[in-house]
Amino acid sequence: MTDELIRYVASSFTTEHTNMGHAVIQKIEDIYYPFLAAVAVPVNLLAIVILSRGKCGLSTCTTRYLVAMATADLLVIINDVILRRISYYYFPETFLNITPVCSVIDVLNGAATDCSVWFTVTFSVDRFVAICCQKLKTRYCTEKTAAVVLATTCILLCLENVPLYFVSEPGEIIDSIPWGCIVKPSCYTEPGWVGFDWFDKILTPLLPFVLILLFNAMTVRCILVASRVRKGLRGQSKGENCSDPEMESRRKSVILLFTISGSFILLWSIIVIDFLYYNITGADPGNYNDFEYIFEEVGDLLQVLSCCTNTFIYGVTQSKFREQFKIVVKYPVKSIIQLINKRNN
């Protein structure tokens, strides 16, 4: 492969910039993405294993949503961080850079990212129904319903991302083989592609932003109303200090819901702001100035970071998850010690 092609592949993820700010961002990305992959892959695998054991004190319905979220996050790390960014930065001569292959990776990455976001929305809806809609709870908050909701969401989002395969064109053709994936200029001007870009960004993450905030607000309102009613019925409004298992259970559920939702909103906020900025002002993302470029890159860094935060949230908010984490981590060590002792005996 020629040096020109290697330079092209390396520049497919970041525009050629010469000032110090862009050089610093590039150096940060060179370290950040390999480190993130090294942490996020085992962390999400551990979360999937621990939650799948069903010993964290969570309902089977909640467990399905959390396992699905961890699986989607893992797929984002594999497709976006490992196959796209790390591969193109450090291994520019692999078959992954052939245009049809990297186009497929773009589709898979888009579907995984959308699933990661929308599984958070479906989890928020499930918690809202479980806490605020007691009549609907028995029918909706079931393992079967969770499986149907997650499968339907996944299928629809995969179909929605199929057009991404046709967004890119090759940067070079060598020996009749197309190499590299660059966005077609027509995608920024043709009404069809501009409309698709708006629809894609509204679908992820603008609409999820609104839905998560809406359902969380309704959940908080419902809890506050129920709390006042239960305190009145139990006599706590008169100074009696009685424990309330129902409210304690709701409190733990809400803490888990709000930390996951809050993390998503915080880490995706720059992506949303950047999208609104270039659509409102008419700025071209391909010709951003120094500050705009850095702002966009920081948004990308935070967005992929959201794919490894949930496991840490479980560890902080769920005591039984921490217990299972210790058991899972200690199991290989104990097995090795037992095997050694058995051979010595």
Side-chain angles (χ1 to χ4, degrees):
M1 185 179 293
T2 64
D3 292 338
E4 288 78 8
L5 178 56
I6 294 176
R7 285 195 296 271
Y8 159 73
V9 173
S11 65
S12 62
F13 287 93
T14 177
T15 311
E16 292 290 341
H17 296 280
T18 58
N19 63 55
M20 184 179 297
H22 294 94
V24 170
I25 285 291
Q26 183 64 64
K27 290 180 180 179
I28 291 174
E29 291 178 343
D30 290 344
I31 300 172
Y32 175 82
Y33 287 120
F35 177 78
L36 179 65
V39 173
V41 170
V43 159
N44 281 301
L45 285 174
L46 276 174
I48 293 170
V49 171
I50 294 171
L51 293 169
S52 298
R53 288 163 57 89
K55 297 181 180 181
C56 295
L58 302 170
S59 66
T60 54
C61 178
T62 299
T63 299
R64 274 194 179 271
Y65 284 108
L66 297 185
V67 169
M69 291 161 61
T71 303
D73 288 343
L74 177 62
L75 291 176
V76 172
I77 295 298
I78 292 174
N79 286 288
D80 190 11
V81 178
I82 297 177
L83 295 184
R84 292 179 74 244
R85 302 179 188 275
I86 295 178
S87 172
Y88 292 175
Y89 285 149
Y90 294 98
F91 309 102
E93 299 184 20
T94 65
F95 74 96
L96 295 173
N97 298 319
I98 298 175
T99 302
V101 177
C102 61
S103 296
V104 170
I105 293 174
D106 286 342
V107 174
L108 295 176
N109 177 55
T113 302
D114 287 353
C115 286
S116 176
V117 171
W118 277 93
F119 288 169
T120 304
V121 177
T122 57
F123 174 65
S124 300
V125 174
D126 176 78
R127 291 300 85 199
F128 166 75
V129 173
I131 294 173
C132 304
C133 307
Q134 296 302 311
K135 293 183 179 179
L136 182 60
K137 175 182 177 181
T138 55
R139 298 195 305 272
Y140 184 83
C141 299
T142 64
E143 187 176 5
K144 181 179 179 181
T145 301
V148 172
V149 170
L150 291 169
T152 303
T153 302
C154 181
I155 292 172
L156 292 177
L157 292 175
C158 287
L159 293 175
E160 187 271 334
N161 280 278
V162 169
L164 292 179
Y165 182 85
F166 306 98
V167 167
S168 300
E169 63 182 8
E172 262 189 272
I173 297 179
I174 302 176
D175 296 331
S176 300
I177 299 176
W179 288 89
C181 285
I182 59 175
V183 178
K184 297 176 182 177
S186 59
C187 292
Y188 296 106
T189 57
E190 290 186 2
W193 283 117
V194 173
F196 174 78
D197 184 50
W198 267 96
F199 174 76
D200 186 57
K201 288 299 189 299
I202 290 173
L203 186 69
T204 304
L206 296 181
L207 183 58
F209 256 61
V210 175
L211 293 177
I212 288 174
L213 291 173
L214 175 64
F215 281 108
N216 285 358
M218 292 191 297
T219 302
V220 169
R221 179 179 178 278
C222 179
I223 290 173
L224 292 176
V225 172
S227 178
R228 286 195 293 266
V229 172
R230 291 181 69 88
K231 283 182 179 180
L233 293 174
R234 296 174 67 88
Q236 291 186 12
S237 59
K238 298 180 179 180
E240 297 181 17
N241 187 17
C242 303
S243 61
D244 189 343
E246 176 66 20
M247 293 307 298
E248 180 65 18
S249 175
R250 289 188 177 187
R251 185 184 70 83
K252 293 180 179 179
S253 180
V254 167
I255 289 175
L256 178 62
L257 170 64
F258 285 1
T259 49
I260 291 176
S261 302
S263 172
F264 164 76
I265 291 173
L266 177 65
L267 296 176
W268 276 82
S269 58
I270 292 182
I271 294 290
V272 174
I273 294 172
D274 180 65
F275 170 75
L276 295 175
Y277 169 76
Y278 77 72
N279 277 283
I280 293 175
T281 64
D284 182 2
N287 293 296
Y288 272 172
N289 61 36
D290 296 344
F291 176 78
E292 293 168 337
Y293 170 78
I294 294 173
F295 187 81
E296 181 186 41
E297 291 299 305
V298 170
D300 288 340
L301 296 177
L302 293 179
Q303 181 251 307
V304 294
L305 178 62
S306 67
C307 294
C308 72
T309 55
N310 283 351
T311 303
F312 295 102
I313 290 173
Y314 306 151
V316 172
T317 61
Q318 305 293 311
S319 58
K320 291 186 178 180
F321 182 89
R322 292 194 297 270
E323 294 173 3
Q324 291 299 311
F325 176 81
K326 294 176 183 178
I327 293 173
V328 171
V329 171
K330 290 179 180 178
Y331 179 77
V333 178
K334 288 183 178 180
S335 300
I336 293 173
I337 293 175
Q338 291 175 356
L339 180 62
I340 294 173
N341 291 336
K342 184 178 179 180
R343 287 188 175 183
N344 291 337
N345 293 332

